C-alpha cells in the first residue's frame, strides 16, 4: 500500500468531501420540503445552500489543481448513497438530527485526515470544515421538542446511535476499497493504536453532540 | 376594491415572489436528487441556490420595510402548492422543462406587475427577476435530448402546454382571492383591454421560450 502515490489519497479525500457536501445539500433541501413552517424551511434552505457553496469551492479547488471532480467523486457515490438509503429519516425532525449528527461525524473524520495532507489541500478542506453556526437552530428545535415529548427523546437517541453505526460501517467499507486513503492514515505515521485513539475521539465527539441536543448517546 | 391601501398589494407581490422562490429552490433540489450525472446535479444545485439567495434577499427587504415575511407568504402557500401538486414532473427532464418554463411565466408576470409599484419595491423585485443565465444549460440539455428522441419532443411539448394552463389557472385563483393585487393591476391604470394585452404578451413569451427549447408551444 505504501507504493500508492500520496496524490491519489488527496484526490480521494477531496472527492469524498465534495460528494458528501453535494449529497448533504440535496438531502437537506428534500427534508425542507417536509418541514411544517416557512421559517423552518428557510433555515434548512440556508444550511443546504451553505453545503452547496462548499461543494462549489471544492470543485473549483480540484479544477485548479488539475483534478477531474466527477472522477474524484465517482468512487464515493455508492457508499454515500448506501448510507443515506439505510438512514432515511421519518419526517423532518429525524432529518434535522441526521444532518446535525451525520455532518458532525463526517467533519470530525475529515478534520483528522487533514493532518496528513499538504498545506494547500488542508486550506481547501479547512474552509469546508468551518462551523459557521448555521446549524445551531437544530439544537434549539430538538431541545424544544423533547421538552414536551419525552417519547421523542428516546426515539431520537436510538436514531443517533443508528446514524453513528451506519456512518462507521460505511467508513469501514471505504477504507477497505480505497487503499490510498487507508495508506494516508497509516503511512502518515498513524499506527494502529493511533487509529484506535482516532475512533475514540470520533465517538467522544459524537456523544458531546448528542448531549448538546439533549439526547443520550 | 379601490379602498384597499396600495401597501397591501406590495405585501402580496413580495410575498408571492418570495414564496415562489423558496418553492422553486426546494423543487429544483428535489429534482437534482433524480438527475443521472453529478455534473447535472451540480448545475441544478446552482440554479436552486440562486433561487434561495433571491428568496433571502426578498425576506431581508420585507423585514427592512417592516413586513412580516411569513404573514406575507402565507396566502400563497395553497395556490403555489396546488400548482406543484398538479404538475409533478415524471423524472428530472420534465423537472428541468418545468423549472425553465414555469420560472419564465412567473417572472414575466412579476415583471408586468412591477410597473405598478413604488421604486423601492421595484428595485427589490428587479434583483429577483434578473436573468443570470444559470438556467441556460437546460436549453442545451433539452435540445440534445429531443435531437435523439423525437417522442420526447412530443411529450415535452404537451408538458409545456399543461404547465402554462396550470400556471394561468392558479394565477386566476390568486386574482380572485387577493383583491389588492387585482386592484393594483386595474387601479394602476390597466383597463381590461390592457390586461388582455398582458396575457397575450405572457403567452407570446411562453411560445418564444418553448421555441428556444426546440419544442412546439
Amino acid at each position: 500500500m505504501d507504493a500508492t502515490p500520496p496524490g491519489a489519497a488527496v484526490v480521494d479525500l477531496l472527492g469524498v468531501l465534495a460528494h458528501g457536501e453535494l449529497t448533504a445539500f440535496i438531502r437537506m433541501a428534500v427534508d425542507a420540503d417536509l418541514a411544517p413552517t416557512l421559517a423552518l424551511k428557510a433555515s434548512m434552505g440556508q444550511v443546504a445552500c451553505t453545503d452547496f457553496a462548499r461543494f462549489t469551492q471544492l470543485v473549483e479547488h480540484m479544477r485548479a489543481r488539475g483534478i477531474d471532480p466527477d472522477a474524484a467523486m465517482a468512487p464515493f457515490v455508492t457508499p454515500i448513497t448506501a448510507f443515506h438509503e439505510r438512514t432515511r429519516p421519518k419526517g423532518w425532525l429525524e432529518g434535522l438530527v441526521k444532518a446535525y449528527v451525520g455532518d458532525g461525524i463526517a467533519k470530525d473524520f475529515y478534520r483528522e485526515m487533514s493532518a496528513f495532507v499538504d498545506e494547500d489541500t488542508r486550506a481547501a478542506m479547512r474552509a469546508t470544515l468551518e462551523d459557521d453556526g448555521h446549524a445551531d437552530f437544530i439544537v434549539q428545535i430538538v431541545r424544544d421538542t423533547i421538552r414536551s415529548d419525552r417519547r421523542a427523546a428516546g426515539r431520537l437517541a436510538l436514531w443517533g446511535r443508528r446514524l453513528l453505526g451506519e456512518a462507521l460501517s460505511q467508513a469501514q467499507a471505504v477504507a477497505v476499497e480505497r487503499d490510498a486513503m487507508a495508506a494516508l492514515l497509516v503511512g502518515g505515521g498513524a499506527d494502529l493504536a493511533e487509529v484506535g485513539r482516532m475512533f475514540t475521539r470520533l465517538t467522544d465527539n459524537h456523544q458531546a453532540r448528542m448531549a448538546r441536543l439533549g439526547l443520550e448517546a
Side-chain angles (χ1 to χ4, degrees), chain A residues 17 20-21 24 28 47 51 54 83-84 95-112 128-131 135 138 160 163-164 167-168 198-199 201-210 212-213:
Chain A
L17 199 48
E21 291 291 343
M28 181 57 93
V47 173
D51 289 336
R54 287 166 172 172
F83 172 73
H84 286 291
L96 285 183
V97 170
K98 176 176 165 179
Y100 189 76
V101 165
D103 201 61
I105 298 167
K107 290 194 172 155
D108 279 344
F109 174 71
Y110 299 134
R111 229 171 261 123
E112 298 275 353
T128 312
L129 299 175
E130 254 169 30
D131 183 3
I138 298 177
L163 291 168
L164 179 67
L168 292 181
M198 187 185 99
F199 275 95
R201 286 194 295 273
L202 288 181
T203 47
D204 284 352
N205 287 345
H206 171 73
Q207 285 181 352
R209 264 188 303 274
M210 291 294 281
R212 220 169 298 135
L213 293 172

Side-chain angles (χ1 to χ4, degrees), chain A residues 150-166:
Chain A
R150 291 307 305 174
R151 279 175 55 206
R155 196 163 44 81
L156 292 174
L158 273 175
W159 176 238
R161 244 164 282 167
R162 195 157 135 230
L163 291 168
L164 179 67
E166 293 291 348

